Amino acid sequence: MTMPSTLAQSRDALVSLLGSVPGVGIVHHRERWASSEQAFRSLYVYTAADPGIDAFGAAPHIRGWYVRRTATTELTENGRVLNEHTWHIRGYLAFQDDIGSELVFDELVERMRDAVRVSPTLGLPNLLGASVAQERGVQVASAGPVMFCGVLCHSALLELRTRNWAEWRTE
């Protein structure tokens, strides 16, 4: 598969890949917002299509992610532009101590990391660092409890870098 050549293609590939992870929940192309807490919460409420996938069963709950590009660096080589995009992926899962929701959330994070590691849709190996000393794949930048939409949730900030070659734009 060829590497995405635009920011939008990279974003679409990342969101599609993350959304394909079983039980991951809702994955948004961008950070979402709404004018009321109820409307905001509805953007992140998830009900499992397969209730046997984890301990939440069929109960609707907060389980969602959004993707944001936070930085881009540019290099040029032989008239071509190499863009390296830094992505933040922020996720939330309703806290439910009696079912060990922290373990469910950690497993979701690891499934997402695995999916990125083995998928060619983001242009692997171009996703990876140039040497073993460089970061590779999805990094867990932080994790911990937060209040989100008025609900105590687990949250994680994941970081990923993707690369794409683009032709010069003269417009």
Coordinates of all heavy atoms in Angstrom, one line a residue, residues 1 17 19 28 34 36 51 55 64 70 81 86 95 103-104 117 122 131 135 143 164-165:
M1 N 0.8 -1.2 0.0 CA 0.0 0.0 0.0 C 0.9 1.2 0.0 O 1.9 1.3 0.6 CB -0.9 0.0 1.2 CG -1.7 1.3 1.4 SD -3.0 1.0 2.6 CE -4.2 2.1 1.9
L17 N -8.4 3.0 11.0 CA -7.6 1.9 11.6 C -8.0 1.8 13.1 O -8.4 0.7 13.6 CB -6.1 2.1 11.5 CG -5.3 1.1 12.2 CD1 -5.5 -0.3 11.6 CD2 -3.8 1.5 12.1
G19 N -10.8 2.9 14.5 CA -12.2 2.5 14.6 C -12.4 1.0 14.3 O -13.4 0.5 14.7
H28 N -13.6 9.8 16.8 CA -13.9 11.0 16.0 C -12.7 11.5 15.3 O -11.6 11.4 15.8 CB -14.4 12.1 17.0 CG -15.7 11.8 17.7 ND1 -16.9 11.9 17.0 CD2 -16.0 11.5 18.9 CE1 -17.9 11.5 17.9 NE2 -17.4 11.3 19.0
A34 N -20.1 20.4 22.2 CA -21.6 20.7 22.0 C -21.9 21.7 23.0 O -21.2 22.0 24.0 CB -22.4 19.4 22.3
S36 N -24.5 21.8 25.1 CA -25.0 21.4 26.4 C -24.2 20.1 26.8 O -23.7 19.4 25.9 CB -26.5 21.1 26.3 OG -26.7 19.9 25.5
P51 N -22.2 -7.5 23.0 CA -22.1 -7.3 24.5 C -21.1 -8.3 25.2 O -20.7 -8.0 26.3 CB -23.5 -7.6 24.9 CG -24.4 -7.5 23.7 CD -23.5 -7.8 22.6
A55 N -16.5 -6.5 30.0 CA -17.4 -6.6 31.2 C -18.5 -5.5 31.2 O -19.4 -5.7 32.0 CB -16.5 -6.4 32.5
G64 N -15.0 6.7 24.1 CA -14.8 7.4 22.9 C -13.4 8.0 22.8 O -12.7 8.2 23.8
T70 N -1.2 17.8 16.2 CA -0.7 18.8 17.1 C 0.5 19.5 16.6 O 0.9 20.5 17.1 CB -0.4 18.2 18.5 OG1 0.5 17.1 18.4 CG2 -1.7 17.7 19.2
V81 N 8.6 17.0 -0.6 CA 8.4 17.4 0.8 C 8.0 16.2 1.6 O 7.1 15.5 1.3 CB 7.2 18.5 0.9 CG1 6.9 18.8 2.3 CG2 7.5 19.7 0.1
T86 N 2.6 15.0 14.0 CA 2.4 14.4 15.4 C 0.9 14.5 15.7 O 0.2 15.5 15.5 CB 3.1 15.3 16.4 OG1 4.5 15.3 16.1 CG2 2.9 14.7 17.8
F95 N -15.6 5.1 34.3 CA -15.0 4.3 35.4 C -16.1 3.5 36.1 O -17.1 4.0 36.4 CB -14.5 5.3 36.4 CG -13.5 4.8 37.4 CD1 -12.1 5.1 37.2 CD2 -13.8 4.0 38.4 CE1 -11.2 4.6 38.1 CE2 -12.9 3.5 39.3 CZ -11.6 3.8 39.2
L103 N -8.7 -2.1 33.7 CA -8.1 -3.1 32.9 C -8.7 -3.2 31.5 O -8.0 -3.5 30.6 CB -8.3 -4.5 33.7 CG -7.7 -4.5 35.1 CD1 -8.0 -5.8 35.7 CD2 -6.3 -4.2 35.1
V104 N -10.0 -2.9 31.4 CA -10.7 -2.9 30.1 C -10.0 -1.8 29.3 O -9.7 -2.0 28.1 CB -12.2 -2.7 30.2 CG1 -12.9 -2.4 28.9 CG2 -12.9 -3.9 31.0
R117 N 0.8 -0.9 14.9 CA 2.1 -1.5 14.7 C 2.1 -2.4 13.5 O 3.1 -2.5 12.8 CB 2.5 -2.3 16.0 CG 3.9 -2.8 16.0 CD 4.2 -3.6 17.3 NE 4.0 -2.7 18.5 CZ 3.1 -3.0 19.4 NH1 2.3 -4.0 19.4 NH2 3.0 -2.2 20.5
L122 N -1.0 3.1 7.3 CA -0.4 4.4 7.6 C 0.9 4.6 6.9 O 1.6 5.6 7.2 CB -0.3 4.6 9.1 CG -1.6 4.7 9.9 CD1 -1.3 4.8 11.4 CD2 -2.4 5.9 9.4
S131 N 15.8 4.5 13.4 CA 16.7 3.6 14.1 C 16.0 3.1 15.3 O 15.0 3.6 15.7 CB 18.0 4.4 14.5 OG 17.7 5.3 15.6
E135 N 11.6 6.6 18.9 CA 10.3 6.1 19.2 C 9.6 5.5 18.0 O 9.8 5.9 16.9 CB 9.4 7.3 19.7 CG 9.8 7.8 21.0 CD 8.9 8.9 21.5 OE1 8.0 9.4 20.7 OE2 9.1 9.4 22.6
A143 N -1.9 8.8 31.4 CA -3.2 8.1 31.6 C -3.6 8.3 33.1 O -2.7 8.5 33.9 CB -3.0 6.6 31.4
N164 N 4.4 11.5 5.5 CA 4.0 11.4 4.1 C 4.8 12.3 3.2 O 5.2 13.4 3.6 CB 2.5 11.7 4.0 CG 2.1 13.1 4.4 OD1 1.9 13.4 5.5 ND2 1.9 13.9 3.4
W165 N 5.0 11.7 2.0 CA 5.7 12.5 1.0 C 4.6 13.3 0.2 O 3.6 12.8 -0.1 CB 6.4 11.6 0.0 CG 7.7 11.0 0.5 CD1 7.8 9.7 1.0 CD2 8.9 11.6 0.7 NE1 9.1 9.5 1.4 CE2 9.8 10.7 1.2 CE3 9.4 12.9 0.5 CZ2 11.1 10.9 1.5 CZ3 10.7 13.2 0.8 CH2 11.6 12.2 1.3

